[in-house]
Amino acid sequence: PDEPLPLVRKEPKEKAAVGWLSRPFLACVLVPIALFLLIFWLKSFWVFHLYPMVVDAVVLLATLVPFFAAVAVYRRSRKKRSMRWACLGGVLSAAAIFGAWMAGDANYWRHCKNYYEYQDLAVYVNVNPDTDKGQSFMDAGEMYFSAGARVDRSRAVAFKNGDLYCAAPIVTKEVDSPPPGQDSKPPISGSQDFWAVGTNCCQPTGSNFVCPDTTSRLARSGLRLIRDDVRPFYQMAAAQWESKFGIPVKHPLFFSWIQDPKEIISGFWVAATRFFQVGCIAFCFINTMAAVLTKAVLFDVILA
């Protein structure tokens, strides 16, 4: 009699194709987008401004997603199972984290940092540059000067360090040229502390001072210079002015002379939110298209 054939245990086969609404495909689309949106927002706005270490910790935790995807790829490869979706998810997640970090960093330092720092500084009105001292306004961000305040472009100076750092005193009255051999008369405060500044907007001698809004009759306010990297150059220009005119410069404050400081400050916020919105839309599109094309071309056709 015929002997019964031995039973052969067959391993279940994985599906060669995965549907568009399947869990692996949706994970490759939605998880990277969620990571990008979260890190981009945290790195761009107030959380990073106040708690940078918290943001760094969240980003570090987010890197666990591509790490676990890499572990899944390794385990599935040892079991001779398909690892394509784990590999794709890990790559897209890593790209999302890196892209969000870079975009958020650029957005913060270009736009949000300026906005938040001006929000933290004080606003002063009716400041008289001839009678008030700069020492009393060290926390100023926006400054609105008293009637008659103007930029004395005739006594501007410049300090050159690659770029030209131009500076001119802010005054409220005409200053007559002193007789030869005599210093100019100092303001009532005893120190020339308020300055309008700009980059590459004058001649090396300080003449032809045309920094933004300094020629406008409507401008009578200033937005404080908050860049630490260029402040020393303007301090050197003020020191040159002090030596040239013999007037003390004890606590110099440097401003961009503009008509409406609040418009400039709100512009930083508008630019930041627009950058964030465009970046989110762009990444969602790019990530989705990458997942769709990889599935449709690489997985379903080439590797089918």
Side-chain angles (χ1 to χ4, degrees), residues 3 5 31 69 90 109-110 126-127 159 172 191 205 225-226 242 251 277 282 295 297:
E3 296 183 359
L5 295 176
V31 172
W109 291 102
R110 292 179 185 177
N126 200 32
V127 178
F159 177 79
T172 57
S191 176
T205 60
L225 174 73
I226 58 176
E242 180 180 18
H251 302 283
Q277 293 168 355
K295 178 188 182 311
V297 178

Side-chain angles (χ1 to χ4, degrees), residues 232-294:
F233 303 134
Y234 290 118
Q235 291 173 337
M236 292 295 294
Q240 288 182 357
W241 189 93
E242 180 180 18
S243 176
K244 179 178 180 180
F245 293 99
I247 297 178
V249 181
K250 298 179 181 178
H251 302 283
L253 301 178
F254 304 108
F255 297 90
S256 296
W257 187 258
I258 53 180
Q259 183 176 344
D260 187 1
K262 293 193 178 299
E263 181 180 0
I264 302 299
I265 295 174
S266 62
F268 288 126
W269 180 254
V270 171
T273 54
R274 183 180 297 122
F275 188 92
F276 179 76
Q277 293 168 355
V278 172
C280 291
I281 294 173
F283 181 81
C284 290
F285 176 78
I286 293 173
N287 182 79
T288 303
M289 291 303 299
V292 169
L293 292 177
T294 301

Side-chain angles (χ1 to χ4, degrees), residues 124 127 132-140 143 194 224 253:
Y124 290 98
V127 178
D132 292 320
K133 297 181 179 181
Q135 189 176 11
S136 303
F137 305 95
M138 300 304 290
D139 61 343
M143 187 165 288
F194 302 94
R224 179 83 172 273
L253 301 178

